[in-house]
Amino acid sequence: MFGVRAGVKAFDVIGDDLAICWEDGSESYVPLRELRLRCPCAACAGEKDLLGREHRPSRNLTAKSFILTKVQRVGGYALQPSWADGHQTGLYSFTYLQSLTQAAE
């Protein structure tokens, strides 16, 4: 984990950003476009086969791909966004979200 931001206390969409309030009281913002482009699921980020070869499928993103329709908490470790184009398989661990917010700062 980065710093003391162990978990997400609250989150909401504000304009074109996902606003995150961390348990330590700090706040971060991730642009929705960046959130979708950096989706960590195998369909978006790719995955390696048993021989170590990376497979990355092509994505056809549209305007709907960047419209967030819902975000839900997954246990005590991740958020799962749902997008207007139907994509909802990305699990963004709190650690990964922290890395995205640091990259945006």
Side-chain angles (χ1 to χ4, degrees):
M1 296 254 180
F2 299 98
V4 294
R5 294 192 255 178
V8 172
K9 182 177 177 182
F11 54 90
D12 200 0
V13 175
I14 299 176
D16 291 332
D17 294 324
L18 177 65
I20 302 168
C21 179
W22 300 97
E23 287 179 343
D24 70 354
S26 63
E27 295 180 359
S28 300
Y29 301 87
V30 181
L32 297 180
R33 181 173 183 78
E34 181 73 12
L35 193 69
R36 179 59 192 270
L37 289 174
R38 304 274 305 260
C39 179
C41 81
C44 293
E47 61 184 330
K48 292 185 179 183
D49 64 17
L50 293 173
L51 300 175
R53 296 175 296 205
E54 188 168 312
H55 299 275
R56 186 178 298 249
S58 62
R59 297 189 291 179
N60 295 321
L61 301 176
T62 66
K64 283 186 172 185
S65 301
F66 303 102
I67 299 171
L68 191 61
T69 60
K70 180 173 86 171
V71 180
Q72 61 186 17
R73 184 182 298 269
V74 178
Y77 72 96
L79 297 180
Q80 182 178 26
S82 296
W83 303 93
D85 65 355
H87 185 69
Q88 59 183 14
T89 57
L91 291 180
Y92 293 72
S93 71
F94 295 161
T95 301
Y96 186 60
L97 284 169
Q98 289 173 16
S99 72
L100 292 180
T101 63
Q102 288 181 347
E105 293 173 352

